Short mmCIF file of all heavy atoms in Angstrom, two decimals:
data_model
loop_
_atom_site.label_atom_id
_atom_site.label_comp_id
_atom_site.label_asym_id
_atom_site.label_seq_id
_atom_site.Cartn_x
_atom_site.Cartn_y
_atom_site.Cartn_z
N ILE A 1 1.49 17.20 6.22
CA ILE A 1 2.55 17.05 7.21
C ILE A 1 1.88 16.68 8.57
O ILE A 1 0.87 17.34 9.01
CB ILE A 1 3.37 18.29 7.34
CG1 ILE A 1 4.00 18.66 6.00
CG2 ILE A 1 4.43 18.13 8.43
CD1 ILE A 1 4.66 20.09 6.01
N LEU A 2 2.40 15.68 9.22
CA LEU A 2 1.99 15.29 10.57
C LEU A 2 2.99 15.61 11.62
O LEU A 2 4.22 15.49 11.31
CB LEU A 2 1.64 13.82 10.62
CG LEU A 2 0.39 13.34 9.89
CD1 LEU A 2 0.38 11.83 9.81
CD2 LEU A 2 -0.87 13.87 10.52
N ASN A 3 2.59 15.93 12.78
CA ASN A 3 3.56 16.15 13.85
C ASN A 3 4.13 14.84 14.39
O ASN A 3 3.61 13.71 14.02
CB ASN A 3 3.00 17.02 14.99
CG ASN A 3 1.82 16.35 15.73
OD1 ASN A 3 1.90 15.14 15.98
ND2 ASN A 3 0.74 17.07 15.93
N SER A 4 5.14 14.87 15.25
CA SER A 4 5.79 13.72 15.73
C SER A 4 4.94 12.84 16.63
O SER A 4 5.23 11.62 16.78
CB SER A 4 7.06 14.09 16.45
OG SER A 4 6.83 14.93 17.56
N ARG A 5 3.90 13.36 17.14
CA ARG A 5 2.97 12.63 18.02
C ARG A 5 1.97 11.82 17.27
O ARG A 5 1.38 10.91 17.83
CB ARG A 5 2.26 13.55 18.99
CG ARG A 5 3.14 14.36 19.93
CD ARG A 5 2.37 15.18 20.88
NE ARG A 5 1.50 16.15 20.18
CZ ARG A 5 1.87 17.28 19.67
NH1 ARG A 5 3.07 17.70 19.78
NH2 ARG A 5 0.97 18.10 19.05
N ALA A 6 1.69 12.22 16.05
CA ALA A 6 0.68 11.52 15.25
C ALA A 6 1.05 10.14 14.92
O ALA A 6 2.21 9.80 14.73
CB ALA A 6 0.40 12.37 13.94
N LYS A 7 0.06 9.32 14.75
CA LYS A 7 0.27 7.89 14.43
C LYS A 7 0.06 7.67 12.94
O LYS A 7 -0.80 8.34 12.23
CB LYS A 7 -0.68 6.99 15.26
CG LYS A 7 -0.43 7.16 16.70
CD LYS A 7 -1.38 6.22 17.54
CE LYS A 7 -1.15 6.38 19.01
NZ LYS A 7 -2.02 5.50 19.80
N LEU A 8 0.75 6.69 12.44
CA LEU A 8 0.61 6.27 11.01
C LEU A 8 0.08 4.88 10.95
O LEU A 8 0.28 4.08 11.87
CB LEU A 8 1.96 6.36 10.35
CG LEU A 8 2.56 7.77 10.10
CD1 LEU A 8 3.99 7.64 9.63
CD2 LEU A 8 1.72 8.53 9.09
N PRO A 9 -0.68 4.55 9.88
CA PRO A 9 -1.02 5.47 8.75
C PRO A 9 -2.20 6.35 9.04
O PRO A 9 -2.93 6.11 10.00
CB PRO A 9 -1.37 4.43 7.68
CG PRO A 9 -1.95 3.25 8.42
CD PRO A 9 -1.16 3.18 9.69
N ARG A 10 -2.33 7.38 8.20
CA ARG A 10 -3.51 8.28 8.27
C ARG A 10 -4.17 8.21 6.87
O ARG A 10 -3.53 7.88 5.84
CB ARG A 10 -3.07 9.67 8.64
CG ARG A 10 -2.58 9.85 10.04
CD ARG A 10 -3.68 9.75 11.07
NE ARG A 10 -4.48 10.95 11.12
CZ ARG A 10 -4.30 11.98 11.91
NH1 ARG A 10 -3.27 11.96 12.74
NH2 ARG A 10 -5.05 13.06 11.90
N TYR A 11 -5.40 8.65 6.80
CA TYR A 11 -6.17 8.46 5.60
C TYR A 11 -6.85 9.74 5.18
O TYR A 11 -7.22 10.62 6.00
CB TYR A 11 -7.20 7.34 5.75
CG TYR A 11 -6.52 6.00 6.02
CD1 TYR A 11 -6.22 5.59 7.32
CD2 TYR A 11 -6.30 5.14 4.97
CE1 TYR A 11 -5.52 4.40 7.50
CE2 TYR A 11 -5.67 3.92 5.13
CZ TYR A 11 -5.26 3.51 6.38
OH TYR A 11 -4.66 2.38 6.61
N PHE A 12 -7.05 9.88 3.81
CA PHE A 12 -7.60 11.11 3.28
C PHE A 12 -8.49 10.76 2.05
O PHE A 12 -8.17 9.84 1.31
CB PHE A 12 -6.50 12.08 2.82
CG PHE A 12 -5.52 12.46 3.87
CD1 PHE A 12 -4.50 11.61 4.27
CD2 PHE A 12 -5.68 13.62 4.57
CE1 PHE A 12 -3.61 11.97 5.28
CE2 PHE A 12 -4.86 13.98 5.61
CZ PHE A 12 -3.79 13.10 5.99
N PHE A 13 -9.56 11.57 1.88
CA PHE A 13 -10.22 11.70 0.60
C PHE A 13 -9.39 12.59 -0.34
O PHE A 13 -8.82 13.60 0.18
CB PHE A 13 -11.59 12.32 0.73
CG PHE A 13 -12.62 11.41 1.29
CD1 PHE A 13 -13.63 11.86 2.13
CD2 PHE A 13 -12.69 10.08 0.93
CE1 PHE A 13 -14.64 11.05 2.60
CE2 PHE A 13 -13.70 9.21 1.44
CZ PHE A 13 -14.66 9.71 2.32
N LEU A 14 -9.22 12.32 -1.55
CA LEU A 14 -8.66 13.11 -2.57
C LEU A 14 -9.55 13.28 -3.72
O LEU A 14 -9.92 12.32 -4.35
CB LEU A 14 -7.26 12.57 -2.93
CG LEU A 14 -6.68 13.27 -4.19
CD1 LEU A 14 -6.31 14.76 -3.94
CD2 LEU A 14 -5.37 12.59 -4.72
N LYS A 15 -9.93 14.51 -4.11
CA LYS A 15 -10.60 14.82 -5.30
C LYS A 15 -9.68 15.70 -6.14
O LYS A 15 -9.28 16.81 -5.69
CB LYS A 15 -11.96 15.56 -4.95
CG LYS A 15 -12.55 16.23 -6.23
CD LYS A 15 -13.11 15.22 -7.19
CE LYS A 15 -13.51 15.89 -8.51
NZ LYS A 15 -14.32 17.05 -8.35
N SER A 16 -9.35 15.23 -7.37
CA SER A 16 -8.46 16.01 -8.21
C SER A 16 -8.88 15.86 -9.61
O SER A 16 -9.30 14.83 -10.14
CB SER A 16 -7.04 15.46 -8.06
OG SER A 16 -6.17 16.11 -9.01
N ASP A 17 -8.97 17.06 -10.31
CA ASP A 17 -9.29 17.05 -11.71
C ASP A 17 -7.97 17.00 -12.57
O ASP A 17 -7.99 17.32 -13.79
CB ASP A 17 -10.09 18.28 -12.05
CG ASP A 17 -9.44 19.60 -11.66
OD1 ASP A 17 -8.31 19.61 -11.23
OD2 ASP A 17 -10.10 20.62 -11.74
N GLN A 18 -6.82 16.76 -11.89
CA GLN A 18 -5.57 16.59 -12.63
C GLN A 18 -4.95 15.22 -12.31
O GLN A 18 -5.26 14.58 -11.34
CB GLN A 18 -4.58 17.66 -12.12
CG GLN A 18 -5.07 19.13 -12.18
CD GLN A 18 -4.09 20.05 -11.59
OE1 GLN A 18 -2.89 19.99 -11.92
NE2 GLN A 18 -4.55 20.92 -10.70
N ASP A 19 -4.12 14.75 -13.21
CA ASP A 19 -3.29 13.56 -12.92
C ASP A 19 -2.40 13.90 -11.74
O ASP A 19 -1.95 15.06 -11.52
CB ASP A 19 -2.52 13.22 -14.14
CG ASP A 19 -3.35 12.69 -15.34
OD1 ASP A 19 -4.51 12.22 -15.03
OD2 ASP A 19 -2.97 12.77 -16.43
N PHE A 20 -2.07 12.89 -10.99
CA PHE A 20 -1.21 13.13 -9.84
C PHE A 20 -0.39 11.81 -9.54
O PHE A 20 -0.70 10.75 -10.00
CB PHE A 20 -2.06 13.52 -8.61
CG PHE A 20 -3.03 12.41 -8.13
CD1 PHE A 20 -2.61 11.42 -7.21
CD2 PHE A 20 -4.35 12.46 -8.66
CE1 PHE A 20 -3.52 10.46 -6.87
CE2 PHE A 20 -5.21 11.41 -8.24
CZ PHE A 20 -4.79 10.44 -7.35
N SER A 21 0.66 12.01 -8.76
CA SER A 21 1.41 10.92 -8.14
C SER A 21 1.60 11.25 -6.68
O SER A 21 1.43 12.36 -6.23
CB SER A 21 2.75 10.73 -8.85
OG SER A 21 3.54 11.88 -8.73
N ILE A 22 1.96 10.25 -5.90
CA ILE A 22 2.06 10.39 -4.45
C ILE A 22 3.46 10.01 -3.96
O ILE A 22 3.98 8.95 -4.36
CB ILE A 22 0.96 9.59 -3.77
CG1 ILE A 22 -0.44 9.98 -4.25
CG2 ILE A 22 1.05 9.83 -2.23
CD1 ILE A 22 -1.54 9.08 -3.75
N GLN A 23 4.02 10.83 -3.09
CA GLN A 23 5.21 10.39 -2.37
C GLN A 23 4.92 10.45 -0.92
O GLN A 23 4.36 11.39 -0.36
CB GLN A 23 6.40 11.35 -2.72
CG GLN A 23 6.86 11.33 -4.12
CD GLN A 23 8.02 12.23 -4.43
OE1 GLN A 23 8.42 13.05 -3.54
NE2 GLN A 23 8.54 12.23 -5.62
N GLY A 24 5.31 9.30 -0.25
CA GLY A 24 5.05 9.19 1.19
C GLY A 24 3.68 8.61 1.54
O GLY A 24 3.27 8.66 2.66
N GLY A 25 2.99 8.19 0.50
CA GLY A 25 1.66 7.61 0.68
C GLY A 25 1.30 6.72 -0.51
O GLY A 25 2.08 6.55 -1.40
N GLU A 26 0.06 6.25 -0.43
CA GLU A 26 -0.39 5.23 -1.57
C GLU A 26 -1.84 5.45 -1.79
O GLU A 26 -2.68 5.64 -0.85
CB GLU A 26 -0.07 3.82 -1.06
CG GLU A 26 -0.50 2.77 -2.01
CD GLU A 26 -0.31 1.37 -1.46
OE1 GLU A 26 0.13 1.26 -0.35
OE2 GLU A 26 -0.58 0.40 -2.23
N LEU A 27 -2.20 5.39 -3.06
CA LEU A 27 -3.59 5.40 -3.47
C LEU A 27 -4.10 3.99 -3.23
O LEU A 27 -3.63 3.01 -3.78
CB LEU A 27 -3.70 5.76 -4.99
CG LEU A 27 -5.09 5.69 -5.55
CD1 LEU A 27 -6.04 6.79 -4.99
CD2 LEU A 27 -5.05 5.86 -7.05
N ILE A 28 -5.14 3.91 -2.36
CA ILE A 28 -5.73 2.59 -2.04
C ILE A 28 -7.04 2.33 -2.60
O ILE A 28 -7.59 1.20 -2.57
CB ILE A 28 -5.76 2.32 -0.52
CG1 ILE A 28 -6.67 3.28 0.22
CG2 ILE A 28 -4.28 2.35 0.09
CD1 ILE A 28 -6.84 2.98 1.64
N TYR A 29 -7.70 3.38 -3.20
CA TYR A 29 -9.06 3.26 -3.75
C TYR A 29 -9.34 4.45 -4.68
O TYR A 29 -8.94 5.54 -4.39
CB TYR A 29 -10.04 3.16 -2.60
CG TYR A 29 -11.54 3.08 -3.11
CD1 TYR A 29 -12.02 1.85 -3.49
CD2 TYR A 29 -12.34 4.20 -3.16
CE1 TYR A 29 -13.38 1.76 -3.88
CE2 TYR A 29 -13.64 4.09 -3.54
CZ TYR A 29 -14.14 2.83 -3.97
OH TYR A 29 -15.44 2.79 -4.44
N GLU A 30 -10.01 4.08 -5.76
CA GLU A 30 -10.50 5.11 -6.73
C GLU A 30 -11.75 4.71 -7.36
O GLU A 30 -11.91 3.59 -7.83
CB GLU A 30 -9.44 5.48 -7.76
CG GLU A 30 -9.73 6.68 -8.52
CD GLU A 30 -10.69 6.48 -9.71
OE1 GLU A 30 -10.71 5.39 -10.25
OE2 GLU A 30 -11.54 7.46 -10.00
N ARG A 31 -12.79 5.59 -7.35
CA ARG A 31 -14.06 5.27 -8.02
C ARG A 31 -14.75 6.56 -8.41
O ARG A 31 -15.00 7.44 -7.51
CB ARG A 31 -14.89 4.44 -7.12
CG ARG A 31 -16.23 3.99 -7.73
CD ARG A 31 -16.85 2.92 -6.92
NE ARG A 31 -18.21 2.65 -7.45
CZ ARG A 31 -19.35 3.03 -6.92
NH1 ARG A 31 -19.36 3.76 -5.84
NH2 ARG A 31 -20.53 2.69 -7.45
N ASN A 32 -14.99 6.70 -9.63
CA ASN A 32 -15.75 7.93 -10.11
C ASN A 32 -15.12 9.24 -9.69
O ASN A 32 -15.81 10.21 -9.35
CB ASN A 32 -17.18 7.88 -9.62
CG ASN A 32 -17.96 6.70 -10.20
OD1 ASN A 32 -17.55 6.09 -11.27
ND2 ASN A 32 -19.00 6.23 -9.52
N GLY A 33 -13.78 9.31 -9.66
CA GLY A 33 -13.09 10.52 -9.38
C GLY A 33 -12.79 10.74 -7.88
O GLY A 33 -12.07 11.64 -7.53
N LEU A 34 -13.37 9.88 -7.01
CA LEU A 34 -13.01 9.98 -5.58
C LEU A 34 -11.93 9.01 -5.19
O LEU A 34 -12.05 7.83 -5.49
CB LEU A 34 -14.22 9.72 -4.75
CG LEU A 34 -13.99 9.81 -3.17
CD1 LEU A 34 -13.67 11.20 -2.80
CD2 LEU A 34 -15.22 9.36 -2.39
N CYS A 35 -10.91 9.52 -4.60
CA CYS A 35 -9.74 8.62 -4.21
C CYS A 35 -9.62 8.61 -2.70
O CYS A 35 -10.02 9.54 -2.01
CB CYS A 35 -8.46 9.14 -4.84
SG CYS A 35 -8.47 9.34 -6.64
N VAL A 36 -9.11 7.48 -2.19
CA VAL A 36 -8.75 7.37 -0.77
C VAL A 36 -7.22 7.11 -0.76
O VAL A 36 -6.73 6.22 -1.43
CB VAL A 36 -9.49 6.25 -0.12
CG1 VAL A 36 -9.04 6.04 1.33
CG2 VAL A 36 -11.07 6.40 -0.16
N ILE A 37 -6.53 7.87 0.04
CA ILE A 37 -5.10 7.82 0.10
C ILE A 37 -4.71 7.37 1.54
O ILE A 37 -5.27 7.87 2.51
CB ILE A 37 -4.47 9.22 -0.11
CG1 ILE A 37 -4.67 9.66 -1.62
CG2 ILE A 37 -2.95 9.22 0.12
CD1 ILE A 37 -4.15 11.02 -1.91
N GLU A 38 -3.74 6.46 1.59
CA GLU A 38 -3.12 6.03 2.85
C GLU A 38 -1.79 6.80 3.00
O GLU A 38 -0.93 6.62 2.14
CB GLU A 38 -2.92 4.58 2.92
CG GLU A 38 -2.29 4.07 4.15
CD GLU A 38 -2.12 2.62 4.13
OE1 GLU A 38 -1.13 2.08 3.56
OE2 GLU A 38 -2.90 1.88 4.83
N MET A 39 -1.67 7.57 3.99
CA MET A 39 -0.41 8.33 4.27
C MET A 39 0.47 7.39 5.14
O MET A 39 0.14 6.96 6.21
CB MET A 39 -0.69 9.59 5.01
CG MET A 39 0.52 10.45 5.31
SD MET A 39 -0.04 12.01 6.11
CE MET A 39 1.55 12.89 6.21
N LYS A 40 1.75 7.10 4.60
CA LYS A 40 2.60 6.18 5.30
C LYS A 40 3.79 6.85 5.97
O LYS A 40 4.50 6.22 6.82
CB LYS A 40 3.06 5.12 4.30
CG LYS A 40 1.96 4.27 3.75
CD LYS A 40 2.50 3.19 2.85
CE LYS A 40 1.40 2.24 2.40
NZ LYS A 40 1.88 1.17 1.60
N GLU A 41 4.09 8.08 5.64
CA GLU A 41 5.26 8.81 6.18
C GLU A 41 4.67 10.15 6.76
O GLU A 41 3.62 10.65 6.39
CB GLU A 41 6.24 9.02 5.14
CG GLU A 41 6.91 7.77 4.60
CD GLU A 41 7.90 8.04 3.42
OE1 GLU A 41 8.30 9.21 3.28
OE2 GLU A 41 8.22 7.07 2.70
N ARG A 42 5.45 10.78 7.65
CA ARG A 42 4.98 12.00 8.27
C ARG A 42 4.90 13.18 7.30
O ARG A 42 4.18 14.11 7.67
CB ARG A 42 5.85 12.31 9.49
CG ARG A 42 5.80 11.24 10.52
CD ARG A 42 6.28 11.73 11.91
NE ARG A 42 6.22 10.58 12.80
CZ ARG A 42 5.11 10.21 13.39
NH1 ARG A 42 3.97 10.84 13.16
NH2 ARG A 42 5.09 9.19 14.22
N LYS A 43 5.56 13.13 6.21
CA LYS A 43 5.44 14.11 5.18
C LYS A 43 4.92 13.41 3.88
O LYS A 43 5.71 12.49 3.44
CB LYS A 43 6.61 14.89 4.94
CG LYS A 43 6.46 16.05 3.85
CD LYS A 43 7.64 16.89 3.67
CE LYS A 43 7.41 17.96 2.60
NZ LYS A 43 8.57 18.85 2.41
N MET A 44 3.83 13.78 3.34
CA MET A 44 3.37 13.21 2.09
C MET A 44 3.19 14.32 1.06
O MET A 44 2.76 15.40 1.47
CB MET A 44 1.98 12.44 2.32
CG MET A 44 1.41 11.86 1.04
SD MET A 44 -0.03 10.88 1.46
CE MET A 44 -1.25 12.20 1.83
N GLU A 45 3.50 14.06 -0.22
CA GLU A 45 3.30 15.06 -1.25
C GLU A 45 2.41 14.42 -2.32
O GLU A 45 2.65 13.31 -2.76
CB GLU A 45 4.60 15.49 -1.87
CG GLU A 45 5.45 16.37 -0.97
CD GLU A 45 6.64 17.01 -1.63
OE1 GLU A 45 7.10 16.37 -2.64
OE2 GLU A 45 7.07 18.06 -1.23
N VAL A 46 1.39 15.15 -2.66
CA VAL A 46 0.59 14.79 -3.88
C VAL A 46 1.09 15.70 -5.01
O VAL A 46 0.92 16.92 -4.96
CB VAL A 46 -0.87 15.11 -3.64
CG1 VAL A 46 -1.71 14.73 -4.85
CG2 VAL A 46 -1.35 14.23 -2.43
#
């Protein structure tokens, strides 16, 4: 969750040993288990 002052998009590393889907964001890169996520809305759920 981002506050109202924060700017979009925001970015994150994601390491997960489970399958996942994303709401409010997008998977933009994956290699050897390391993912990069672009957050497009102020609330994102993995």
Side-chain angles (χ1 to χ4, degrees):
I1 302 168
L2 288 171
N3 63 44
S4 60
R5 299 182 303 277
K7 298 180 180 180
L8 291 170
R10 292 287 285 268
Y11 296 85
F12 301 84
F13 284 142
L14 168 66
K15 165 70 191 311
S16 175
D17 54 7
Q18 307 176 50
D19 293 335
F20 63 88
S21 61
I22 304 170
Q23 293 182 356
E26 179 184 1
L27 175 67
I28 63 172
Y29 178 81
E30 190 279 328
R31 181 168 176 259
N32 297 337
L34 179 66
C35 302
V36 177
I37 295 176
E38 182 181 75
M39 183 179 184
K40 296 184 174 182
E41 300 175 13
R42 297 199 181 279
K43 181 176 181 180
M44 180 175 71
E45 287 190 336
V46 179

